[in-house]
Amino acid sequence: AQSVAQPEDQVNVAEGNPLTVKCTYSVSGNPYLFWYVQYPNRGLQFLLKYITGDNLVKGSYGFEAEFNKSQTSFHLKKPSALVSDSALYFCAVRDGRGGANNLFFGTGTRLTVIP
Amino acid sequence: DAGVTQSPTHLIKTRGQQVTLRCSPKSGHDTVSWYQQALGQGPQFIFQYYEEEERQRGNFPDRFSGHQFPNYSSELNVNALLLGDSALYLCASSPRAPNSYQETQYFGPGTRLLVL
């Protein structure tokens, strides 16, 4: 079975400080991992994904994520937060085994960047 | 290049009614997936269409059905609406080939359905 956990419902960070949004996952096969962001009354916007290769993945708007197989984690990071980064962030996983390619999402983490 | 589009943006229905939501995929994409996002929750997979057939289905009752047209656009139909069907319905598109596991799903803005 596939699952994703985002242990923090809310993360607050001061503008200019580094931010981390945590995600852990569970899959049977090889994990394919994704981060999406959702602004109010909008759909999901793709940020980045890990398929294979380098454990550090760089994405849109200065975001990056580090894949850690031993800790089954895929935390989202940004060196310097902007007020405009305030939004709802979702981690998602796809199991590379079994023929299904739909995404399983976490419950989301609301990021607030304080000016 | 147009992204994923959905219509309508908002919809209000009463219990027992039926609703149809529409989705046009991103140019070059042939696979459409539908998700339900209840308030305060992450999206949950409903089903996926490819080559005009339902290929995968999540844990949703038969009241939820769909269709894909030859131009790859898709519809989601929900019959006998319940109050609990109130949610944001998201459509996502992706290319099938060459390896669907690695492909990114791109989401539309969603249709917000309120059932009274």
Side-chain angles (χ1 to χ4, degrees), chain A residues 1 3 6 25 29-30 44 50 60 71 80 83 86 89 102 108 115:
Chain A
S3 66
Q6 293 183 245
Y25 66 89
N30 292 323
L44 301 180
Y50 172 82
S60 306
Q71 297 185 3
S80 179
V83 173
S86 298
Y89 290 80
N102 55 287

Side-chain angles (χ1 to χ4, degrees), chain A residues 32 34 36 38 41-44 46 49 51 88 90 94-103 105-108, chain B residues 31 33 35 37 40-45 48 56 88 90 96 99-110 112:
Chain A
Y32 297 96
F34 300 77
Y36 287 85
Q38 187 174 37
N41 300 315
R42 302 283 294 276
L44 301 180
F46 170 71
K49 67 181 178 182
I51 302 300
L88 189 56
F90 288 98
R94 175 186 290 150
D95 193 336
R97 190 186 79 168
N101 65 3
N102 55 287
L103 294 172
F105 284 86
T107 52
Chain B
T31 299
S33 304
Y35 292 81
Q37 185 180 13
Q41 301 296 317
Q44 290 195 333
F45 175 70
Q48 183 179 85
Q56 298 170 41
L88 179 68
L90 296 164
R96 189 73 179 178
N99 186 337
S100 61
Y101 292 104
Q102 299 184 7
E103 299 298 340
T104 299
Q105 291 187 0
Y106 291 90
F107 285 79
R112 188 164 296 281

Side-chain angles (χ1 to χ4, degrees), chain A:
Chain A
Q2 309 167 62
S3 66
V4 173
Q6 293 183 245
E8 300 160 318
D9 292 335
Q10 174 83 40
V11 170
N12 297 324
V13 62
E15 186 178 22
N17 282 3
L19 70 86
T20 299
V21 182
K22 296 179 180 178
C23 171
T24 58
Y25 66 89
S26 175
V27 296
S28 301
N30 292 323
Y32 297 96
L33 295 154
F34 300 77
W35 275 102
Y36 287 85
V37 60
Q38 187 174 37
Y39 295 98
N41 300 315
R42 302 283 294 276
L44 301 180
Q45 184 174 337
F46 170 71
L47 284 178
L48 51 80
K49 67 181 178 182
Y50 172 82
I51 302 300
T52 187
D54 288 342
N55 289 341
L56 185 63
V57 178
K58 294 188 181 296
S60 306
Y61 312 116
F63 283 94
E64 58 189 29
E66 186 169 9
F67 171 65
N68 188 316
K69 187 174 182 178
S70 62
Q71 297 185 3
T72 61
S73 66
F74 190 56
H75 301 332
L76 181 70
K77 300 182 179 184
K78 187 174 182 181
S80 179
L82 301 173
V83 173
S84 58
D85 293 330
S86 298
L88 189 56
Y89 290 80
F90 288 98
C91 180
V93 67
R94 175 186 290 150
D95 193 336
R97 190 186 79 168
N101 65 3
N102 55 287
L103 294 172
F104 282 83
F105 284 86
T107 52
T109 297
R110 185 165 300 282
L111 173 69
T112 299
V113 181
I114 303 165

Side-chain angles (χ1 to χ4, degrees), chain B residues 15-73:
Chain B
R15 281 177 296 174
Q17 285 189 311
Q18 179 264 346
V19 68
T20 297
L21 310 181
R22 295 176 176 82
C23 171
S24 291
K26 186 176 170 66
S27 178
H29 289 182
D30 56 6
T31 299
V32 173
S33 304
W34 287 92
Y35 292 81
Q36 181 195 65
Q37 185 180 13
L39 198 62
Q41 301 296 317
Q44 290 195 333
F45 175 70
I46 302 175
F47 43 53
Q48 183 179 85
Y49 277 82
Y50 170 60
E51 290 184 338
E52 302 179 46
E53 290 190 15
E54 183 183 298
R55 300 292 178 171
Q56 298 170 41
R57 189 178 184 91
N59 189 25
F60 279 81
D62 292 345
R63 299 187 297 109
F64 289 77
S65 63
H67 189 77
Q68 186 179 35
F69 299 93
N71 67 353
Y72 308 125
S73 66

